[in-house]
Amino acid sequence: MYGLTRDVYQDVPGPLLGLPVQRIGQWGPLIQFPAVPVAVALLPETGNLLAWSAGWKNDWTFAGNGNTYYATYDTKTGNVTQGLYEDTKHDMFCPGLSMTAEGKVFVNGGSTYQKASQYDEQTGRWTGVSNMKVGRAYHSSTSTSEGKVFAIGGNWRVAGKKDGEVYDPKSNTWTSLPGAPVSPMIVAAHRGGIFQDSHTWFKPMNWYGTKGTGSQKAAGLRGADTDSMCGIFVMFDALAGKFLTLGGATTYTGTPHKRAHIITLGDANGAVNVERIGDAEYARGYANSVVLPNGKVFIVGGQYNMVLFSDSNPVLFPEMFDPETNTFSKLKAHTVPRNYHSVAILMPDATVFVGSGGLCGGCQANHFDGQHYSPPYLFETDGVTLAKRPSISSATSKVALGGSITVTMADAGSYTFSLIQMSAVTHATNTDQRRIPLAASSGSGAAYILPIPSDAGIALPGYWMLFANNEDGVPSVAHTVQVLI
């Protein structure tokens, strides 16, 4: 039996932080999964979670076994159902991971290094697609403005260069991009080991293009920062091109830092502005970051000394980054370490699902569970009473680039709005996550018109969550919007 289990409100109480309870949020009960959920994806039709491990429920190998254990978490009932994907012999541990413009979960590479598969929520089935041009694992992939998927890097599966390639869902074809070389992002072997170009977040920054045979242009360094393997990155304002980066280390294991930067993108292939801001509360590696409807960033888990497959050295206090002040603040602690192989993702109810860790056979660091964190904006000042939430009565469900979303609220009031892209995460890497603040072109009270950016590089084709925030900063439950190609 999987689903909700024990209550976990016994963790560190608010007064020990010296902070009002309302400002630190609350943790919900643990949710049990049949396999360690080292990868999760938000399903656009229902808002349920798809989770999976590898060819084993509690372990992985470099070669894999051609199978993948997965589960679906029904967020309305709390039930978790399990499945085994073995049709195309794709062990989907440590893959590139993206959401397609059609809302399918797209998994490329991994232990079964050249395979690619996608999950269709409407049929509830995994299916195989064309094999990749280059076998790869431990790499990254991301959705593009054309509704394609770009993959680059990776290691430990198949020798040779892991230059870029792009997948077109319409033609079911991969195209090699020799003009998008991986070489600018490779670090010295003694620092990266098998992870030289994996889930990259190193000091040199690069622009990559996916048209034609591909392109690459250096974008400078991240200030005076060092390479920051296993640090966090999150685009909290796509309209302004702003990322938060934080933490990580010069080696894949070892001591992380707590330096933070704001990176602001300009035009493609153009200058990139890097601003060093104040340090975070904690140094951490293997952590996760999630952008919230109000533009703040929730940072959770990780270790202050990075050790693979271990519950040691956990950072149990999450923190919140506020882009208005460029400052960090501590939140309510959790009791389960969320270290290597942990995940976190924003849910349509504006909570954050946090879970996993381990996948190391019989080790003590395996965590077959997750839980919801409810941010401070969901509570009254006492930190316990749930705040009255605004409600979207109706809104446009499909919108073209440059078009508008018409929104009717249940009650008249003063509201702000934002779009957050539905995404997927594994190994603390979520390349599709981004937020667009929306300014109403007209309307007040209960009716609003919200223009959508015309740039597909900002409003990527695919499924988004539309949130309405009231004057107190309390968000609505999300309305699903598909941005069309």
Side-chain angles (χ1 to χ4, degrees):
M1 180 68 180
Y2 304 102
L4 297 178
T5 56
R6 65 181 179 86
D7 195 311
V8 292
Y9 285 111
Q10 73 275 18
D11 52 320
V12 181
L16 293 184
L17 291 173
L19 295 171
V21 178
Q22 191 270 344
R23 290 173 51 192
I24 60 175
Q26 294 284 352
W27 288 94
L30 288 179
I31 303 154
Q32 297 296 329
F33 286 80
V36 178
V38 297
V40 296
L42 185 60
L43 300 176
E45 298 286 340
T46 59
N48 293 338
L49 268 187
L50 178 69
W52 65 95
S53 57
W56 297 265
K57 294 180 179 181
N58 67 341
D59 205 356
W60 68 281
T61 64
F62 286 114
N65 65 6
N67 301 326
T68 299
Y69 282 94
Y70 70 96
T72 305
Y73 164 45
D74 187 321
T75 55
K76 295 180 179 63
T77 65
N79 293 331
V80 177
T81 56
Q82 62 179 317
L84 175 63
Y85 176 45
E86 50 190 346
D87 296 354
T88 63
K89 305 305 177 186
H90 188 184
D91 186 327
M92 297 187 290
F93 170 71
C94 206
L97 184 54
S98 299
M99 300 291 288
T100 71
E102 295 76 28
K104 295 178 181 178
V105 182
F106 187 76
V107 182
N108 54 95
S111 289
T112 313
Y113 53 89
Q114 210 156 359
K115 296 282 188 178
S117 300
Q118 60 187 11
Y119 182 84
D120 187 332
E121 182 182 14
Q122 293 185 345
T123 64
R125 289 177 55 87
W126 291 95
T127 56
V129 300
S130 295
N131 283 353
M132 305 183 78
K133 294 291 186 180
V134 177
R136 59 184 89 218
Y138 228 82
H139 59 292
S140 289
S141 68
T142 189
S143 302
T144 76
S145 57
E146 298 179 299
K148 300 178 181 180
V149 176
F150 172 64
I152 193 169
N155 222 310
W156 64 253
R157 293 301 286 149
V158 184
K161 295 190 302 181
K162 304 297 194 298
D163 292 345
E165 59 184 299
V166 66
Y167 176 74
D168 186 345
K170 292 183 179 178
S171 60
N172 188 27
T173 56
W174 288 93
T175 301
S176 297
L177 300 175
V182 72
S183 55
M185 64 170 65
I186 292 179
V187 300
H190 73 278
R191 289 196 292 117
I194 61 172
F195 313 106
Q196 289 173 263
D197 58 338
S198 307
H199 299 316
T200 300
W201 194 244
F202 302 133
K203 183 175 181 179
M205 299 183 293
N206 295 275
W207 288 101
Y208 281 95
T210 59
K211 294 183 179 180
T213 58
S215 63
Q216 175 270 332
K217 184 178 179 181
L221 301 177
R222 196 169 57 254
D225 200 15
T226 59
D227 288 335
S228 297
M229 297 186 204
C230 305
I232 67 157
F233 64 97
V234 57
M235 183 176 265
F236 61 88
D237 187 342
L239 203 59
K242 290 187 177 295
F243 286 85
L244 169 70
T245 75
L246 167 67
T250 57
T251 55
Y252 204 78
T253 58
T255 304
H257 63 78
K258 57 180 179 179
R259 293 185 298 274
H261 294 81
I262 301 296
I263 295 177
T264 304
L265 306 180
D267 294 333
N269 295 317
V272 175
N273 184 69
V274 178
E275 177 189 2
R276 174 78 161 87
I277 61 174
D279 289 349
E281 292 282 342
Y282 297 96
R284 58 179 94 210
Y286 309 144
N288 283 268
S289 58
V290 176
V291 64
L292 303 179
N294 58 9
K296 295 182 179 182
V297 177
F298 175 69
I299 301 156
V300 63
Q303 292 171 294
Y304 59 83
N305 186 32
M306 295 155 61
V307 180
L308 298 178
F309 304 115
S310 171
D311 275 350
S312 65
N313 317 314
V315 182
L316 295 176
F317 285 97
E319 53 193 296
M320 191 78 79
F321 169 71
D322 186 344
E324 294 294 324
T325 59
N326 282 351
T327 57
F328 298 86
S329 57
K330 289 193 291 188
L331 300 170
K332 189 176 182 69
H334 50 91
T335 57
V336 180
R338 300 300 180 188
N339 296 346
Y340 190 58
H341 283 169
S342 62
V343 296
I345 194 168
L346 182 68
M347 303 300 292
D349 64 357
T351 65
V352 180
F353 175 86
V354 179
S356 190
L359 197 71
C360 42
C363 76
Q364 297 299 309
N366 279 338
H367 295 289
F368 292 77
D369 52 53
Q371 60 192 127
H372 289 263
Y373 173 75
S374 296
Y377 54 44
L378 293 179
F379 298 95
E380 299 288 357
T381 55
D382 62 7
V384 178
T385 306
L386 291 174
K388 184 178 186 303
R389 303 185 69 165
S391 177
I392 298 174
S393 290
S394 64
T396 305
S397 294
K398 296 180 184 290
V399 62
L401 291 166
S404 296
I405 298 173
T406 300
V407 180
T408 301
M409 301 298 297
D411 300 301
S414 179
Y415 301 98
T416 59
F417 299 88
S418 62
L419 284 173
I420 296 180
Q421 190 172 22
M422 292 186 171
S423 60
V425 60
T426 187
H427 291 70
T429 301
N430 186 338
T431 55
D432 288 340
Q433 180 182 204
R434 59 176 60 193
R435 170 184 171 271
I436 302 175
L438 298 177
S441 62
S442 63
S444 61
Y448 295 83
I449 296 177
L450 311 174
I452 299 300
S454 58
D455 186 343
I458 296 174
L460 287 174
Y463 284 83
W464 296 71
M465 293 180 282
L466 173 68
F467 290 97
N469 305 284
N470 66 17
E471 291 178 294
D472 295 324
V474 182
S476 67
V477 172
H479 173 82
T480 302
V481 176
Q482 184 183 15
V483 176
L484 305 172
I485 298 178

